[in-house]
Amino acid sequence: KIMNKIDDETLLSIHINRIKKSKKINSIIIATTNKKKDDIIELESNKLNVSCYRGDEEDVLDRFYQAAKSYSPDFVVRLTSDCPLIDSSLIDMIIEATVNSNVDYCSNTLIESYPDGQDVEVFSFNSLKKAWEESVLFSDREHVTPYMKRNFKVLNIHSNNMKFNKVRMTVDEPNDIIVIKRLIEKLGLNETWKNYSNLYLTDKTISNTN
């Protein structure tokens, strides 16, 4: 789905190019599977000039840990590629909150007050390593961060208006792609999450689509 195109841009390239505007991210790694079907993701990574790590399809926690460990980072930012309109300023805000709050894990997803499609998770590399070492449940290995949420010191970042949790900017279904396309047609590729959200909420021809 992330190789679907809007004009000449894949959803993945839109996603990565928006992340590149972050002032606090040092390295971007696309962590995909070692399945033949995902060769296309590695090719796109090369076009986008970002690293690509390929690992287990189901043990996504191992994939994340192996992708990150050679960089020896202080913190890891997890961004899922079905969120093409992710906002770099929101990413930076959550990174800053994590660093300044002395927590192991910080996100805007524990209590949903941001749009679905603006999901940012930040955690210390030590927390990732500990979760990798200790997690045994399949659900913890598949979804990367549940073990951290249950066992470590966490912080949730709230938006100032709960209306935004009604906005759907993620891509799971064909109609979601139509919504992303309409938002981009109206506002371009470089708007803030809040401007996209306000358009979604006020233009019912967009919000009724998905």
Side-chain angles (χ1 to χ4, degrees):
K1 66 186 177 183
I2 60 174
M3 294 304 293
N4 276 284
K5 287 191 173 183
I6 294 177
D7 295 329
D8 293 328
E9 295 271 3
T10 63
L11 293 179
L12 180 59
S13 67
I14 293 168
H15 177 72
I16 294 296
N17 286 329
R18 287 179 63 86
I19 295 170
K20 284 180 177 179
K21 293 175 182 174
S22 164
K23 295 179 172 65
K24 296 186 180 294
I25 287 179
N26 304 113
S27 301
I28 298 174
I29 310 159
I30 294 177
T32 191
T33 82
N34 49 25
K35 298 290 185 182
K36 179 70 178 172
K37 64 180 181 179
D38 286 328
D39 287 354
I40 193 170
I41 304 295
E42 185 170 10
L43 288 172
E44 186 74 351
S45 304
N46 295 336
K47 288 180 190 174
L48 293 167
N49 247 353
V50 295
S51 299
C52 182
Y53 177 84
R54 302 186 67 170
D56 193 273
E57 183 173 34
E58 295 185 339
D59 190 347
V60 190
L61 176 56
D62 181 68
R63 198 195 316 164
F64 263 73
Y65 174 71
Q66 300 300 339
K69 73 174 185 178
S70 63
Y71 291 80
S72 298
D74 294 316
F75 294 93
V76 176
V77 183
R78 181 177 182 231
L79 303 162
T80 56
S81 58
D82 54 4
C83 300
L85 296 180
I86 193 71
D87 191 318
S88 62
S89 63
L90 182 59
I91 296 169
D92 287 348
M93 182 185 76
I94 295 174
I95 292 172
E96 190 168 356
T98 312
V99 173
N100 293 338
S101 300
N102 192 31
V103 295
D104 304 302
Y105 169 97
C106 179
S107 77
N108 61 347
T109 64
L110 297 173
I111 300 169
E112 295 178 354
S113 60
Y114 281 88
D116 191 358
Q118 293 295 328
D119 301 344
V120 182
E121 296 180 290
V122 183
F123 37 88
S124 69
F125 179 72
N126 287 339
S127 299
L128 176 62
K129 183 179 181 185
K130 192 173 181 183
W132 175 76
E133 291 170 342
E134 297 177 2
S135 296
V136 293
L137 295 176
F138 177 78
S139 57
D140 287 342
R141 308 296 302 188
E142 183 185 22
H143 297 293
V144 184
T145 58
Y147 186 88
M148 297 183 210
K149 295 174 190 176
R150 291 198 311 273
N151 295 285
F152 300 158
K153 190 175 179 183
V154 303
L155 174 68
N156 185 77
I157 303 298
H158 298 264
S159 77
N160 57 8
N161 195 322
M162 288 299 291
K163 72 178 182 179
F164 292 124
N165 71 3
K166 297 177 174 64
V167 176
R168 183 173 173 80
M169 276 191 259
T170 191
V171 177
D172 287 321
E173 307 292 338
N175 281 350
D176 294 329
I177 298 174
I178 295 170
V179 166
I180 298 296
K181 184 172 183 178
R182 286 177 178 167
L183 291 172
I184 290 171
E185 284 173 350
K186 296 264 189 179
L187 295 176
L189 288 168
N190 301 307
E191 266 301 341
T192 65
W193 72 266
K194 194 171 284 188
N195 286 345
Y196 287 126
S197 298
N198 285 328
L199 176 60
Y200 181 97
L201 290 169
T202 56
D203 189 332
K204 295 305 178 186
T205 61
I206 295 177
S207 56
N208 287 342
T209 302
N210 70 347

